[in-house]
Amino acid sequence: MTTHNDDVDWDRWPVADYLAENYREVHPSDAAVIAHHSAFYRGLPPGGIARSVEFGAGPNLYPLMLASAACRRIDAVEAGAGNVSYLEDQICHRLDASWLPFHELCRRLNPEVPATLAGALAPVHIVHADVRALPPGVYELASMHFVAESVTEDFAEFAEFCHTFARTARPGGYLVAAFMENMPTYRIGPASRWPGCPVSPATVTEVFTPLTRDLDVTHIDVDPTLPDYGDSGMVLLTGVAEAV
């Protein structure tokens, strides 16, 4: 049977295991994503975006750091209770020291990122909600990292998530995203199983071409320092949302 997003209890997402496996150090793939996205954000006026969204924020803080160079308000929209709790703990109470090297790299590649990690996260507003309920055309910039391909096994539903993501940006708004390439159903920690939908640069391009202009899609090779989830690397995207 194909697992869809609504078949999964996202409140049970194993936050501690996910962070331990992926974000306790800056892996080469992280550095590549940060370098790619920093080049994108350097092309925007510092503080020129009034309001942006991190679409399915999860517990990953570096996309929020990157956006802080250009965005005066960042809505981190997340459905899973554990992820929301982690974001609230980090942004409102204490910051894990493991995020400091990520911030240092973000700032080194784009000096418009605020000088402190706390300053970089100050524009973030945590929104506990299903991203599919977001109204269209609200944001000047929409960002998504490892979401649409990691919440369903159904390609049609993956495409629907991508459409919803692109529509959250107003026409002419910016899009920036990252996907795991050829991600199968995967495990995190010792036992938990989560849905994956294999995608490639070609399929990402196919989905986003009708939704965007100035679309740029590129690829990062698989990172041997990360757990073997069965993926073959990452797909990175930038573009400008079109009216659809």
Side-chain angles (χ1 to χ4, degrees):
M1 292 180 60
T2 300
T3 301
H4 295 85
N5 181 77
D6 288 338
D7 297 328
V8 179
D9 181 1
W10 293 105
D11 290 342
R12 295 179 53 250
W13 176 258
V15 177
D17 288 333
Y18 179 71
L19 291 170
E21 292 180 9
N22 293 277
Y23 295 116
R24 290 310 182 206
E25 61 181 283
V26 182
H27 293 276
S29 56
D30 300 316
V33 174
I34 290 169
H36 175 272
H37 287 7
S38 292
F40 164 76
Y41 280 110
R42 287 196 305 269
L44 304 181
I49 302 294
R51 190 179 181 193
S52 71
V53 62
E54 187 63 33
F55 186 95
N60 180 6
L61 301 188
Y62 78 67
L64 307 173
M65 302 176 206
L66 290 162
S68 70
C71 303
R72 302 196 299 274
R73 175 184 172 120
I74 304 164
D75 287 350
V77 181
E78 171 59 41
N83 286 328
V84 169
S85 178
Y86 180 78
L87 290 171
E88 290 175 342
D89 187 50
Q90 293 296 295
I91 293 169
C92 301
H93 300 290
R94 61 178 180 83
L95 285 163
D96 289 342
S98 56
W99 291 113
L100 291 171
F102 289 87
H103 172 260
E104 188 277 333
L105 179 59
C106 291
R107 181 165 166 76
R108 175 154 46 89
L109 293 173
N110 186 355
E112 297 301 334
V113 171
T116 66
L117 177 53
L121 298 176
V124 177
H125 294 253
I126 302 161
V127 181
H128 189 180
D130 188 325
V131 291
R132 293 171 295 182
L134 288 170
V138 169
Y139 295 100
E140 297 169 48
L141 183 148
S143 170
M144 176 175 69
H145 291 76
F146 317 121
V147 175
E149 80 285 13
S150 301
V151 298
T152 181
E153 295 176 353
D154 179 29
F155 182 80
E157 189 171 34
F158 161 80
E160 288 172 8
F161 268 95
C162 292
H163 282 236
T164 301
F165 162 67
R167 285 197 302 267
T168 63
R170 64 186 60 172
Y174 299 101
L175 302 175
V176 57
F179 308 84
M180 300 303 295
E181 184 184 56
N182 291 316
M183 186 75 158
T185 294
Y186 57 101
R187 292 188 180 276
I188 295 175
S192 67
R193 179 181 178 275
W194 304 91
C197 179
V199 301
S200 67
T203 53
V204 170
T205 299
E206 176 188 350
V207 168
F208 278 92
T209 293
L211 309 173
T212 61
R213 58 180 167 86
D214 300 333
L215 180 65
D216 183 76
V217 176
T218 190
H219 168 265
I220 295 174
D221 288 336
V222 68
D223 186 342
T225 72
L226 288 171
D228 183 5
Y229 294 120
D231 63 277
S232 57
M234 296 179 182
V235 180
L236 307 182
L237 173 152
T238 60
V240 176
E242 290 275 50
V244 291

